[in-house]
Amino acid sequence: MATALEDEVLLTVIRREGRICAFTFAITRGRTHYNMYSGLDYTLNNEGDLYFNLFYHDMDQAFRAG
């Protein structure tokens, strides 16, 4: 998907000590933003507010894209 859609794809990854703790995969086409897939390690969520920061960054990117 990322190869076919190029600049329309957004992958956000949060790492801790080299390990992926959270991710979200989104597509922005025109004025519409689709958050397709997300995941996080819920055992680490309270340490870094992973859920909040993951979606905050995703929404920030969507708003910047228009």
Side-chain angles (χ1 to χ4, degrees):
M1 257 180 140
T3 303
L5 297 175
E6 299 178 355
D7 292 342
E8 296 176 320
V9 172
L10 174 67
L11 175 64
T12 302
V13 176
I14 298 174
R15 296 176 190 252
R16 180 179 182 191
E17 298 174 0
R19 184 177 142 230
I20 295 175
C21 300
F23 76 93
T24 190
F25 178 82
I27 297 171
T28 300
R29 299 202 92 180
R31 294 180 50 93
T32 306
H33 183 80
Y34 304 94
N35 185 310
M36 305 292 288
Y37 304 102
S38 299
L40 63 115
D41 182 341
Y42 284 95
T43 63
L44 298 175
N45 189 47
N46 290 336
E47 292 182 36
D49 294 319
L50 296 177
Y51 187 85
F52 171 81
N53 285 304
L54 187 68
F55 285 98
Y56 180 86
H57 183 268
D58 188 63
M59 291 185 70
D60 179 53
Q61 293 300 311
F63 292 138
R64 289 174 189 262

